[in-house]
């Protein structure tokens, strides 16, 4: 373990001495800094980018084909077919025992809904489609909301505000800021609109594995948490509830996360690369 520490400081070509010096300055101020191994090399960034391109094309494909009356099982088949046709693997399939290729989360399902042939999309439903792709060993991850038929103004507003939360979080993800700045900005926007932020699930590092450090909370305080440094790749994927933030996991399947109060929840997810000057959304 950690052989790279032998014989001195680990300085891969992925980031400059200048970046390392800047990191050290923050570290000396007592700020938590990212382990250098999560700062991607140019080669890794290229691989992750390619994976993300397929993942985005997949979400576009779902967007074109999703319709009222179809089952979530049909969405799962679509995702599996498209992904494998592109020489890639759906990351959820068999991930820690997860049985399908995609998560399909309707209305009061917060996330990790499992596709099922008996579950039909009805007019008025809001659904999150969360897809993740492995291509040449590199991981990507993103999700979008879809509104089926006639959706109530209340639920439309939830979907729209949640999208704004994701965008506001991304805007905060700037080099040399802190992860807490992202969470704080998202929480402020959600709560200002009368909603709550799910606490029990978070964004995450992604690229070399499906879920890596750091955890990216969608709530919190400014000027807290890990330093944001160029070369990091992570998701921002706020889950916003119309009612209270409390959630539970369905005991029957061990995956499906639902709101305690039965009110709807929405989620949008993108994956970003922190650059020297800002960030790049890899899943657009
Ligand atoms: N795609 C989810 C995320 O955004 C993770 C799903 S894990 C699975 O992190 F096993 F349910 F697919
Ligand atoms: Co994710």
């Amino acid at each position: 373990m950690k052989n790279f520490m032998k014989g001195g400081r680990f300085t891969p070509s992925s980031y400059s001495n200048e970046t390392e010096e800047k990191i050290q300055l923050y570290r000396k101020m007592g700020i938590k800094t990212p382990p250098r191994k999560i700062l991607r090399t140019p080669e890794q960034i290229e691989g992750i980018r390619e994976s993300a391109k397929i993942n985005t094309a997949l979400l576009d494909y779902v967007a074109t084909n999703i319709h009222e009356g179809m089952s979530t099982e049909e969405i799962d088949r679509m995702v599996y077919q498209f992904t494998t046709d592109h020489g890639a693997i759906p990351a959820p399939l068999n991930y820690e025992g997860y049985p399908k290729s995609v998560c399909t989360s309707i209305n009061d399902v917060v996330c990790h809904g499992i596709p099922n042939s008996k579950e039909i999309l009805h007019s008025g439903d809001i659904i999150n489609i969360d897809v993740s792709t492995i291509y040449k060993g590199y991981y990507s991850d993103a999700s979008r909301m879809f509104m089926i038929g006639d959706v109530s103004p209340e639920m439309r507003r939830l979907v729209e505000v949640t999208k704004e939360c994701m965008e506001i979080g991304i805007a905060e993800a700037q080099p040399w800021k802190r992860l807490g700045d992202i969470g704080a900005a998202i929480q402020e926007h959600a709560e200002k609109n009368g909603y709550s932020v799910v606490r029990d699930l978070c964004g995450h590092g992604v690229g070399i594995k499906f879920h890596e450090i750091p955890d990216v909370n969608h709530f919190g305080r400014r000027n807290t948490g890990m330093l944001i440094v160029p070369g990091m790749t992570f998701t921002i994927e706020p889950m916003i509830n119309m009612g209270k933030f409390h959630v539970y996991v369905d005991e029957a399947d061990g995956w499906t996360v639902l709101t305690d109060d039965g009110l709807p929840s929405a989620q949008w997810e993108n994956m970003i690369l922190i650059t020297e000057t800002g960030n790049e959304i890899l899943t657009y």
Side-chain angles (χ1 to χ4, degrees):
M1 280 290 276
K2 301 222 162 78
N3 280 336
F4 59 79
M5 288 305 288
K6 282 194 186 131
R9 192 191 283 169
F10 173 58
T11 49
S13 57
S14 60
Y15 65 105
S16 60
N17 284 328
E18 202 186 321
T19 299
E20 178 60 27
E21 276 159 25
K22 211 159 166 186
I23 294 172
Q24 291 299 336
L25 274 173
Y26 283 98
R27 192 185 59 79
K28 281 176 195 142
M29 290 161 62
I31 292 172
K32 189 178 163 75
T33 59
R36 309 304 183 267
K37 66 181 179 213
I38 68 166
L39 306 183
R40 311 307 184 191
T41 66
E43 187 190 341
Q44 289 171 335
I45 290 169
E46 217 21 65
I48 297 166
R49 214 192 283 288
E50 288 306 305
S51 175
K53 273 187 197 153
I54 297 172
N55 205 63
T56 302
L58 169 58
L59 276 175
D60 291 342
Y61 179 70
V62 169
T64 311
N65 290 289
I66 194 167
H67 59 85
E68 186 180 339
M70 84 192 301
S71 70
T72 48
E73 175 84 26
E74 284 173 75
I75 297 171
D76 184 66
R77 274 202 294 276
M78 222 154 68
V79 168
Y80 181 82
Q81 198 59 45
F82 186 97
T83 306
T84 52
D85 283 351
H86 286 75
I89 302 165
L93 190 57
N94 302 317
Y95 174 78
E96 291 182 1
Y98 188 79
K100 299 285 180 175
S101 298
V102 56
C103 297
T104 50
S105 305
I106 301 176
N107 300 337
D108 63 328
V109 176
V110 174
C111 64
H112 303 168
I114 304 175
N116 177 314
S117 60
K118 291 184 199 73
E119 185 178 52
I120 307 297
L121 303 190
H122 298 293
S123 179
D125 285 344
I126 58 169
I127 180 171
N128 175 274
I129 305 287
D130 191 339
V131 296
S132 317
T133 299
I134 315 171
Y135 184 65
K136 296 186 177 168
Y138 294 104
Y139 287 77
S140 52
D141 190 9
S143 80
R144 296 181 197 162
M145 293 301 293
F146 296 95
M147 298 192 261
I148 309 300
D150 271 330
V151 172
S152 71
E154 291 75 20
M155 280 162 84
R156 276 183 185 276
R157 194 172 81 90
L158 175 68
V159 170
E160 275 151 27
V161 170
T162 304
K163 189 175 190 201
E164 290 164 9
C165 284
M166 177 266 295
E167 289 164 347
I168 287 166
I170 291 174
E172 284 292 318
Q174 300 293 327
W176 316 114
K177 292 188 85 168
R178 314 264 301 262
L179 289 180
D181 298 328
I182 298 173
I186 291 171
Q187 184 178 7
E188 280 163 20
H189 191 65
E191 292 179 355
K192 187 174 79 193
N193 280 281
Y195 300 143
S196 65
V197 179
V198 172
R199 305 281 204 265
D200 294 356
L201 297 119
C202 57
H204 51 92
V206 59
I208 305 307
K209 291 186 290 177
F210 196 172
H211 294 110
E212 302 180 47
I213 52 165
D215 284 354
V216 181
N217 282 323
H218 304 111
F219 62 96
R221 284 178 299 119
R222 284 174 210 281
N223 270 305
T224 65
M226 189 185 281
L227 184 68
I228 301 172
V229 172
M232 291 169 82
T233 54
F234 56 84
T235 69
I236 296 179
E237 49 178 305
M239 284 143 275
I240 306 297
N241 292 354
M242 191 179 280
K244 301 242 163 63
F245 64 76
H246 309 86
V247 301
Y248 70 98
V249 178
D250 182 351
E251 280 174 31
D253 65 27
W255 281 102
T256 310
V257 179
L258 298 111
T259 60
D260 257 359
D261 58 18
L263 291 173
S265 182
Q267 179 180 29
W268 288 82
E269 173 176 25
N270 275 292
M271 180 182 165
I272 62 173
L273 165 71
I274 303 300
T275 64
E276 299 286 340
T277 53
N279 67 61
E280 180 185 327
I281 302 171
L282 297 170
T283 41
Y284 268 178

